[in-house]
Amino acid sequence: MKLKPALASLKKDPVLFISGVLAVLSMFFVHPGAAYLSYIDYRVLALLFSLMCVMNGFQEQGLFRKMAVFVLSRMANTRQLSAVLIFLCFFLSMFITNDVALITFVPFTVLVLSITGQQKRLIPVIVLQTVAANLGSMLTPIGNPQNLYLYNLSGMGLGEFLFVMLPYTAISFALLILSLFPGKSEPVRLASVFTDLPPVDRKKLGCYVILFLLCMCAVLRLLPWQLILAAVLLSLFFVNRPLLLKADFGLLATFVFFFLFIGNMGRLPAVSGLLSRILSGHELLIGVLSSQIISNVPSALLLSGFTAELRPLLVGVNLGGLGTLIASLASLISYKQYAQTENCRKGAYLLAFTAVNAVFLAVLLATAFLLGDL
């Protein structure tokens, strides 16, 4: 009887389940005590929670979809249409995270391409949107959870962080541009797309904008995270209380479990020494490889506990978001959305996804080699 709930939990969120098991197992080697409290990076958890709440507020207002409708209404052909849908994910993921970009724009893409009779373009556009979101998000500290965590852990300044990731982002941008040219472009008209977008509540939207700017100040270490967390909790309690319950608590719990596991393993000299030796000088490559198996957020959390070379690890776990479907959990969002479409071709999607990811990853690893990061 106890096996069924465990299997259901594993199927629903395997990373959360596995991280919880690892945390519990590690407690048999290092018994719980006051030191456990020092394992947890409270600043990262507070900022993640705050940003999740604010982004959910923006989504609720339909802000990003309204932006997309405004831009798309000016498109004249399918190449322009595809470019907008892909680069909205690329650029907005730098600020609203890769998963939020895909949650917002993949269903939007399905609707737009269906309205215009371009269902045949669903697979290439959604695959490139997914790649675009994963690669665009790597430029900024708030683009994805592993960036926020490693940015905080490394003590990098914003300029240094951007300097590390900009070459890879620029190459990714160029590759996405090139990917638009194969195939024939056809005329398309979007005279009246969407009449069901929710009206904007200006007071709420203004509140979310202010909270987002405050979060950015905390990310840049201009304001204390405790103050920002209090501001988010108090503001949303009075403005939109349900948003406080819509944060991804599974992801937050995953972070906590990994903090406990890494902290306990770090107190076992034999284990920490072995992992440090394996990682030494190979942070980027191991970051890429481990991401293919356990995804890039857990890889960043796990590997960061056993190396001081966080710059190549940062590059590795970001490039590691390319590859398998689970290399970045955001990629699963796109796949699930596509799998719900009428007459979907899952095999064709997975084949296209793997081929495109392999090409992008090969080029970016070559870039890392030329830059001396690999």
Side-chain angles (χ1 to χ4, degrees):
M1 293 296 291
K2 294 181 179 179
L3 182 60
K4 288 184 178 180
L7 291 174
S9 176
L10 178 61
K11 184 177 180 180
K12 185 177 180 180
D13 194 338
V15 176
L16 172 62
F17 183 85
I18 293 169
S19 64
V21 170
L22 289 174
V24 171
L25 290 177
S26 71
M27 293 177 185
F28 289 99
F29 299 94
V30 179
H31 295 161
Y36 273 39
L37 297 176
S38 65
Y39 297 165
I40 299 172
D41 192 329
Y42 298 101
R43 181 176 186 272
V44 166
L45 294 178
L47 291 177
L48 270 177
F49 172 78
S50 299
L51 286 166
M52 287 174 187
C53 291
V54 174
M55 288 306 143
N56 285 335
F58 283 138
Q59 271 192 296
E60 186 181 84
Q61 292 296 310
L63 177 65
F64 308 125
R65 294 182 71 174
K66 285 182 170 66
M67 291 169 55
V69 169
F70 176 79
V71 176
L72 285 172
S73 64
R74 287 152 176 78
M75 298 301 102
N77 57 61
T78 52
R79 182 167 290 128
Q80 293 177 355
L81 175 64
S82 298
V84 170
L85 292 171
I86 291 164
F87 284 106
L88 277 170
C89 290
F90 183 76
F91 288 110
L92 287 179
S93 67
M94 299 175 185
F95 306 100
I96 68 174
T97 72
N98 53 350
D99 55 345
V100 172
L102 293 173
I103 288 170
T104 302
F105 291 115
V106 172
F108 181 85
T109 296
V110 172
L111 189 52
V112 168
L113 294 181
S114 298
I115 288 173
T116 56
Q118 295 293 329
Q119 292 93 332
K120 63 186 178 182
R121 300 181 186 272
L122 274 175
I123 290 178
V125 172
I126 293 175
V127 166
L128 287 171
Q129 280 185 309
T130 306
V131 170
N134 285 330
L135 293 177
S137 67
M138 69 182 173
L139 179 64
T140 66
I142 63 169
N144 52 55
Q146 72 267 16
N147 277 9
L148 184 59
Y149 170 66
L150 292 174
Y151 175 76
N152 183 63
L153 184 65
S154 66
M156 288 183 186
L158 179 61
E160 183 182 358
F161 188 99
L162 295 176
F163 179 80
V164 172
M165 300 310 304
L166 184 58
Y168 300 99
T169 308
I171 294 295
S172 301
F173 178 79
L175 290 173
L176 288 169
I177 290 286
L178 292 174
S179 70
L180 292 170
F181 287 97
K184 182 182 177 182
S185 183
E186 302 172 12
V188 65
R189 292 184 63 84
L190 291 167
S192 58
V193 183
F194 301 112
T195 57
D196 62 338
L197 292 175
V200 171
D201 185 322
R202 294 190 177 185
K203 289 183 179 180
K204 287 184 178 180
L205 183 59
C207 175
Y208 303 149
V209 170
I210 292 171
L211 290 176
F212 176 73
L213 294 175
L214 288 174
C215 288
M216 286 301 300
C217 288
V219 170
L220 297 175
R221 306 183 183 94
L222 301 176
L223 291 174
W225 64 265
Q226 297 93 333
L227 176 64
I228 304 309
L229 178 61
V232 169
L233 290 173
L234 286 173
S235 299
L236 295 184
F237 182 82
F238 291 105
V239 173
N240 193 346
R241 201 172 304 172
L243 283 182
L244 295 174
L245 301 177
K246 291 183 179 180
D248 188 347
F249 291 102
L251 178 60
L252 296 173
T254 299
F255 267 73
V256 172
F257 289 143
F258 270 111
F259 286 146
L260 294 174
F261 175 72
I262 294 165
N264 284 336
M265 292 300 98
R267 291 172 63 184
L268 299 175
V271 175
S272 62
L274 176 62
L275 291 174
S276 296
R277 287 193 296 273
I278 293 172
L279 263 177
S280 181
H282 307 290
E283 287 84 0
L284 193 153
L285 187 58
I286 293 178
V288 171
L289 294 175
S290 64
S291 296
Q292 306 309 304
I293 303 169
I294 63 173
S295 86
N296 53 3
V297 174
S299 291
L301 293 170
L302 181 61
L303 300 178
S304 64
F306 306 100
T307 181
E309 297 297 326
L310 297 181
R311 170 175 169 158
L313 180 60
L314 171 67
V315 176
V317 294
N318 274 291
L319 300 190
L322 298 169
T324 64
L325 193 61
I326 63 169
S328 169
L329 295 180
S331 300
L332 290 172
I333 293 170
S334 300
Y335 175 72
K336 289 176 181 177
Q337 293 286 351
Y338 173 74
Q340 293 171 5
T341 62
E342 188 177 356
N343 300 320
C344 67
R345 296 178 295 142
K346 296 180 182 178
Y349 180 94
L350 292 173
L351 183 61
F353 178 88
T354 303
V356 171
N357 273 260
V359 171
F360 273 72
L361 182 56
V363 173
L364 290 171
L365 284 175
T367 302
F369 178 78
L370 292 174
L371 293 175
D373 289 334
L374 185 58

